[in-house]
Amino acid sequence: EDEGVGYTRSNVQVVVPRRVHRDGQPKDENMNDDIDHPEERIIQSHAYIWAQGASKLDLSCDWDYKTFLAEHLEWYLETTVKPVRIEMEEQHL
């Protein structure tokens, strides 16, 4: 399934560690506010995989989160998140 220019949505398996901090990082002894799971889990999910090859990537600069929020978030939510959300709701996922 094509998800816009350059990406393909793929089914993937994600390993969820037994203990993680709320920010998603593995827990260490100095962290609190963690989430405990009884055991490591593998869940099914979707990932957006770059499908156009490395030659079409601009590797000359870093990806900037603040720029993404200011300039691209609205487009991303409308063209990627919203259609997937609708599809998931239609499939009762």
Side-chain angles (χ1 to χ4, degrees):
E1 181 175 337
D2 184 30
E3 296 296 334
V5 177
Y7 293 89
T8 301
R9 187 172 66 169
S10 300
N11 294 322
V12 296
Q13 291 185 338
V14 178
V15 176
V16 180
R18 190 172 80 74
R19 280 194 130 165
V20 294
H21 189 263
R22 288 202 186 278
D23 67 5
Q25 298 301 311
K27 180 178 168 37
D28 69 28
E29 65 277 356
N30 298 320
M31 293 181 172
N32 53 20
D33 197 27
D34 60 315
I35 303 168
D36 284 321
H37 299 286
E39 59 187 40
E40 181 175 277
R41 303 175 289 148
I42 298 176
I43 61 172
Q44 302 299 314
S45 187
H46 297 269
Y48 291 89
I49 309 296
W50 180 250
Q52 302 300 311
S55 65
K56 294 200 176 189
L57 291 174
D58 180 4
L59 301 176
S60 64
C61 60
D62 292 335
W63 182 80
D64 183 72
Y65 182 67
K66 288 181 182 178
T67 300
F68 172 78
L69 289 178
E71 298 178 12
H72 305 290
L73 180 61
E74 186 174 333
W75 172 86
Y76 174 75
L77 292 172
E78 188 65 32
T79 63
T80 304
V81 175
K82 184 177 179 180
V84 171
R85 177 71 184 254
I86 290 168
E87 179 185 339
M88 290 177 68
E89 288 174 354
E90 288 172 353
Q91 295 178 11
H92 306 289
L93 296 176

